[in-house]
Amino acid sequence: MVDFTLTEEQQSMRELAHDFAEKEIRPVAWEYDRDATWPQEIIEKAWELGLMNIHLPTEYGGPGLSYLDGCLIEEELSWGCSGIGTSLGCNGLATAPVALAASDELKREYLGRLTEAPLLASFCLTEPDAGSDVSGMKTTARRVGDKWVINGSKCFITNGGYASWYTVYAKTDKEAGHRGISCFVVPRDAGVVVDKHEDKMGQRASNTATVTFNDVEIPANHLVGEENHGFKVAMMTLDRTRPAVAAMATGVARAAMEFAIDYSKQRTQFGVPIAMHQAIQFMIADMATKVHLSRLATWNSAVLLDQGKRNTIESSHAKRFAADSAMEVCTDAVQVYGGYGFIKDYPVEKLMRDAKILQLYEGTAQIQRLVIARETLLPRRVAQPTAAPA
Ligand SMILES: Cc1cc2nc3c(=O)[nH]c(=O)nc-3n(C[C@H](O)[C@H](O)[C@H](O)COP(=O)(O)OP(=O)(O)OC[C@H]3O[C@@H](n4cnc5c(N)ncnc54)[C@H](O)[C@@H]3O)c2cc1C
């Protein structure tokens, strides 16, 4: 049965997240963007309210909410500010590999830490010479006795400067390409160095850092899953986190659309509010369609996960479409504002900058198309129900 009717609990959770975004995030979002302020207080409040670590299983102290629940929360938080939303949601990316593949002992220790205090974790895959093609990574992990010794550097790591532990991908077999990558949990106090905080175009309230490992030693049991199976863990992680990025994109697009609607009713040119001009109406109509379809694709990709089904193509559809749509909607929102849209005193300028990163991180728009093309040309399974024909 196809039914996206939200339960009463889901509606209340969505309201809670919306209320938080409206009262705690929106009032500071533009100022934090201007000054690239780290939203520590907001993180602490969101953690208290249960708006972080939402998928962590109950046996490790988390609320164990569904992927659809997560999307409801992510859309609202990013409606408030997607930079702050990224800071709040990043634990989901760092913890997914651990929840998927780590030993019970490791889960208890590291997932447990995040539910006991408002701490952060980061996901470290990207390197200066290995972005879309992670098989080119140079970070290594060498087994020495009962330890792993990690050497290398990861760039563009969200929350990297504030994380208390890191999920790190490293080569354990240098000759084996993506089949030689393993995944590890590395506590910050093992000697991780934070080198550089990036000065970004958008999502400026989020932290993006370079983290370096110089002979960092971790216990042997900090390997996540099997040796040389890290690439698979990373890909399974992205299937689980791309719906959340799509939900964030939906939130950003919705915010831009709402600003554009309000402005178009207030701004008068040629004797009428510009909303009376059909060219403006059509831009607003296209925004509404894109927000609606982004949300449907997002929810579809999340519900498949909640049903225990593979969602690789659906999460790429959702991430690709919602991110591209957010960029288009924000660009058009600036157009609706005319010259004022280009000025920092008006809200849509920030949203257009913020939207850009949604087409880049967690797999660029081109990489999503590669996944979609591969899954479409060489399907690996019997087609699952989707909201629309694939
Ligand atoms: C703000 C921010 C936060 C981030 N957070 C994290 C994080 O927390 N953890 C982490 O590990 N990484 C993170 N990243 C890294 C991000 O995931 C990468 O930037 C992204 O995957 C692209 O890699 P790249 O920048 O090296 O670009 P490249 O891979 O060099 O790509 C450059 C261009 O070539 C295109 N391209 C590459 N290969 C192909 C191909 N085969 N076919 C067609 N086009 C192709 C790309 O789409 C892109 O347009 C973050 C990045 C930013 C900017």
Side-chain angles (χ1 to χ4, degrees), residues 40-61:
Q40 183 62 35
E41 268 183 35
I42 294 177
I43 290 170
E44 286 167 20
K45 284 182 188 164
W47 182 84
E48 283 290 340
L49 275 175
L51 294 172
M52 288 176 68
N53 305 313
I54 42 193
H55 303 310
L56 289 191
T58 45
E59 59 262 48
Y60 305 110

Side-chain angles (χ1 to χ4, degrees), residues 7 14 48 100 103 129 170 224 304 341 346 362 386:
T7 63
R14 194 190 207 181
E48 283 290 340
L100 269 169
S103 65
D129 295 326
V224 174
L304 287 172
Y346 292 82
E362 294 204 30
T386 53

Side-chain angles (χ1 to χ4, degrees), residues 229-240:
H229 282 63
F231 182 77
K232 192 173 171 210
V233 172
M235 294 306 112
M236 287 173 73
T237 293
L238 295 174
D239 283 352
R240 279 152 184 78

Side-chain angles (χ1 to χ4, degrees), residues 319-320 323-324 358-360 363-370:
K319 202 271 181 183
R320 200 293 286 163
D324 286 352
L358 299 162
Q359 295 178 300
L360 297 169
T364 64
Q366 289 71 37
I367 294 304
Q368 303 310 325
R369 284 174 172 85
L370 282 186

Side-chain angles (χ1 to χ4, degrees), residues 13-33:
M13 198 182 336
R14 194 190 207 181
E15 275 164 32
L16 175 79
H18 183 77
D19 212 42
F20 185 79
E22 193 164 42
K23 298 201 172 88
E24 303 291 343
I25 298 180
R26 272 273 172 108
V28 295
W30 278 263
E31 177 196 329
Y32 280 24
D33 168 72

Side-chain angles (χ1 to χ4, degrees), residues 6 9-27 30 42 46 49-51 69-81 84 88 247 250-252 254-259 262 295:
L6 301 180
E9 274 175 9
Q10 287 173 323
Q11 287 175 37
S12 330
M13 198 182 336
R14 194 190 207 181
E15 275 164 32
L16 175 79
H18 183 77
D19 212 42
F20 185 79
E22 193 164 42
K23 298 201 172 88
E24 303 291 343
I25 298 180
R26 272 273 172 108
W30 278 263
I42 294 177
L49 275 175
L51 294 172
D69 295 340
C71 288
L72 301 176
I73 293 172
E74 297 286 354
E75 180 182 331
E76 297 312 314
L77 298 179
S78 289
W79 170 89
C81 170
I84 296 172
L88 297 174
T250 308
V252 173
R254 190 179 114 217
M257 176 179 75
E258 289 172 4
F259 282 121
D262 288 349
R295 187 179 296 119

Side-chain angles (χ1 to χ4, degrees), residues 80-322:
C81 170
S82 64
I84 296 172
T86 292
S87 310
L88 297 174
C90 180
N91 277 3
L93 178 62
T95 55
V98 178
L100 269 169
S103 65
D104 185 56
E105 189 187 4
L106 216 53
K107 285 182 191 170
R108 217 160 277 290
E109 181 172 354
Y110 287 94
L111 302 184
R113 282 191 195 185
L114 303 182
T115 59
E116 282 156 17
L119 296 175
L120 299 171
S122 289
F123 178 88
C124 305
L125 184 64
T126 306
E127 297 186 6
D129 295 326
S132 302
D133 179 10
V134 298
S135 68
M137 70 171 61
K138 296 196 174 72
T139 298
T140 57
R142 198 164 36 93
R143 183 73 188 258
V144 182
D146 61 353
K147 295 196 183 323
W148 289 99
V149 182
I150 310 223
N151 276 290
S153 203
K154 298 285 177 180
C155 65
F156 300 156
I157 303 306
T158 300
N159 289 356
Y162 296 88
S164 74
W165 58 269
Y166 303 84
T167 308
V168 180
Y169 294 85
K171 280 276 175 77
T172 34
D173 181 346
K174 285 189 208 164
E175 312 307 322
H178 69 273
R179 290 198 176 83
I181 296 172
S182 301
C183 177
F184 301 89
V185 168
V186 181
R188 186 182 185 127
D189 58 14
V192 178
V193 175
V194 179
D195 289 321
K196 186 182 176 212
H197 294 263
E198 304 293 351
D199 188 5
K200 303 192 295 294
M201 169 195 283
Q203 294 201 346
R204 290 171 53 76
S206 71
N207 172 258
T208 311
T210 296
V211 293
T212 295
F213 311 89
N214 294 319
D215 283 329
V216 169
E217 292 187 357
I218 52 169
N221 71 355
H222 280 42
L223 173 68
V224 174
E226 287 176 55
E227 189 175 338
N228 295 328
H229 282 63
F231 182 77
K232 192 173 171 210
V233 172
M235 294 306 112
M236 287 173 73
T237 293
L238 295 174
D239 283 352
R240 279 152 184 78
T241 56
R242 283 176 180 154
V245 179
M248 291 172 61
T250 308
V252 173
R254 190 179 114 217
M257 176 179 75
E258 289 172 4
F259 282 121
I261 291 170
D262 288 349
Y263 187 80
S264 70
K265 290 178 182 169
Q266 288 159 17
R267 175 72 174 170
T268 296
Q269 288 293 284
F270 297 96
V272 291
I274 58 170
M276 299 294 285
H277 299 302
Q278 200 179 48
I280 298 288
Q281 289 172 11
F282 282 8
M283 273 196 276
I284 304 280
D286 284 350
M287 289 180 192
T289 303
K290 285 170 186 166
V291 170
H292 179 65
L293 295 184
S294 295
R295 187 179 296 119
L296 280 183
T298 300
W299 287 12
N300 183 49
S301 67
V303 165
L304 287 172
L305 279 178
D306 291 330
Q307 293 172 343
K309 293 179 181 158
R310 186 166 178 266
N311 75 336
T312 303
I313 189 168
E314 289 83 2
S315 71
S316 282
H317 280 317
K319 202 271 181 183
R320 200 293 286 163
F321 183 79

